Amino acid sequence: MALGLEASLGDSVLTTKLDAIINWGRQYSLWPMVFGTACCAIEFMSAAASQHDISRFGAEVVRFSPRQADLLLVCGTISYKQAPILKRIYEQMPEPKWVVAMGACASSGGIYDNYCTVQGIDTIIPVDVYISGCPPRPEAVLDALIKIQQQIQTESVLVDRHKEFKGILD
C-alpha cells in the first residue's frame, strides 16, 4: 500500500530527488574528449573499438571540441610547453566536467623525470580518476569510466566541484 503523495496521484506519477534524475542522465551520456599525446591514445582507440566497445557505457560520442565535451581523457606525456594548452582546453569545457589521467605519464610523469615533463597533470588541472599502466589496457579505460559514473551518482547539482583547486599555472 502506497503512502503519501504517490497514494493520491496513482501509478502514473513517480517522485524522486532532482540530483538522482539529473545524475542518472549525466552518468550515461558522457561525451569524452581525448587529449592524446602518446601511446595511451592508441589504447583509448582500442577501448572505443568493437572488441571493448565504450559505447556500452554511454561514452561513444567522442568530441574534438572542448565546448562539446564533459569528460577529458589526458592520454600520454604532457610537457610544460603543452601545459597552458591543456589548461585552456579544460577551462573551455562546460560544467560539470570530469578528468581522467590515463597512464603513468599523465599521472606522474612516468619514466620522464626531467626538466620539460610535467610530473602529473594534477598540478595543472583537477583529476577525478587515475589509470595506471604504461600503456594501460583498454579494460582499465572502461574501469575508469565506471568509476566516473559512480562518482557522478553521488554528486549534487548545487555544489561546485572544483572551486578550490589551485594549479601551478594559476
Side-chain angles (χ1 to χ4, degrees):
M1 176 165 185
L3 300 173
L5 185 63
E6 289 88 358
S8 62
L9 296 174
D11 293 337
S12 62
V13 175
L14 176 71
T15 58
T16 186
K17 294 180 181 178
L18 185 61
D19 280 340
I21 195 74
I22 290 175
N23 289 342
W24 175 80
R26 285 179 177 168
Q27 80 184 70
Y28 295 115
S29 62
L30 290 169
W31 289 5
M33 179 186 168
V34 180
F35 190 78
T37 61
C39 48
C40 290
I42 304 300
E43 291 299 319
F44 172 79
M45 291 176 205
S46 68
S50 61
Q51 184 175 4
H52 299 284
D53 195 18
I54 201 168
S55 64
R56 293 179 295 152
F57 300 91
E60 73 272 8
V61 186
V62 178
R63 296 295 178 185
F64 296 102
S65 168
R67 292 183 178 97
Q68 297 175 346
D70 56 5
L71 175 63
L72 179 61
L73 287 136
V74 182
C75 308
T77 311
I78 303 298
S79 67
Y80 281 103
K81 195 172 187 177
Q82 294 169 320
I85 299 164
L86 177 62
K87 175 89 171 159
R88 177 172 288 173
I89 287 172
Y90 176 78
E91 289 171 347
Q92 289 176 349
M93 293 172 63
E95 288 288 342
K97 52 191 166 188
W98 298 273
V99 177
V100 174
M102 186 173 170
C105 293
S107 297
S108 65
I111 61 171
Y112 305 106
D113 188 10
N114 56 29
Y115 67 94
C116 65
T117 303
V118 175
Q119 300 300 302
I121 63 163
D122 55 357
T123 60
I124 302 165
I125 58 176
V127 176
D128 295 297
V129 175
Y130 296 90
I131 303 175
S132 62
C134 185
R137 300 261 318 138
E139 293 90 350
V141 177
L142 299 179
D143 183 56
L145 184 61
I146 291 169
K147 287 179 182 172
I148 291 283
Q149 289 174 334
Q150 290 169 347
Q151 179 181 342
I152 291 171
Q153 274 182 333
T154 61
E155 292 179 355
S156 173
V157 296
L158 302 175
V159 176
D160 187 4
R161 299 174 50 240
H162 301 301
K163 190 173 189 176
E164 302 181 12
F165 178 80
K166 293 290 181 192
I168 60 173
L169 298 179
D170 291 334

